[in-house]
């Protein structure tokens, strides 16, 4: 029997770090189903979904935890629940910036039952108008019974002049 694990890691990067973790997983009969690794300066952050024989889970946890430069968290997947059918939607948001904007956007999405798969945002100061502008790109899992036009309208109410557009339905 196998166990699904979600592993998050963050810390100091060094040569062969990711290769070492992947090799240990393979040695124990596991495989990385999904991995997202980002490096910035001398730091690394990542999230992994690993399928591993259940009896190897403690050994893998110990091997990952032994990496002294990393903060590692391993979560065993809960039993499968009924899946809600969703569409993958990419959305773009542009607005004047203000404190709490990300909170307000994510609060609405969470209340509606929309999963945020990925969110990237940044702010740009524009001296000519004396304001800071907010830009975000979101990859969402939207239940098929939710009208995306109504979703856009709901999000546009967060801030006057906010522009929300659907870039892609995949």
């Amino acid at each position: 029997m196998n166990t699904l694990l979600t592993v998050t890691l963050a810390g100091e990067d060094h040569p062969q770090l990711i290769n070492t973790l992947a090799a240990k997983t393979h040695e124990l009969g596991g495989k990385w189903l999904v991995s997202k690794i980002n490096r910035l300066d001398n730091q690394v952050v990542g999230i992994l979904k690993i399928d591993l024989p259940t009896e190897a889970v403690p050994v893998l946890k110990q091997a990952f935890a032994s990496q002294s430069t990393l903060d590692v968290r391993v979560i065993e997947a809960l039993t499968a629940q009924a899946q809600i059918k969703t569409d993958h939607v990419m959305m773009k948001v542009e607005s004047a910036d203000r404190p709490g904007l990300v909170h307000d956007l994510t609060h609405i999405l969470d209340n509606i039952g929309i999963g945020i798969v990925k969110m990237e945002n940044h702010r740009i100061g524009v001296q000519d108008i004396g304001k800071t502008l907010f830009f975000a790109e979101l990859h969402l899992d939207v239940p098929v019974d939710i009208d995306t036009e109504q979703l856009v309208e709901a999000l546009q109410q967060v801030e006057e002049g906010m522009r929300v557009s659907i870039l892609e339905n995949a």
Side-chain angles (χ1 to χ4, degrees), residues 24 56-67 74:
K24 187 62 176 180
V57 170
V59 177
L60 184 81
K61 285 181 177 181
Q62 178 57 39
F64 278 36
S66 71
Q67 298 294 320
V74 180

Side-chain angles (χ1 to χ4, degrees), residues 104-119:
D104 293 345
L105 288 169
T106 58
H107 182 74
I108 288 173
L109 294 171
D110 187 47
N111 281 345
I112 297 173
I114 294 174
I116 301 172
V117 176
K118 178 180 176 184
M119 179 175 175

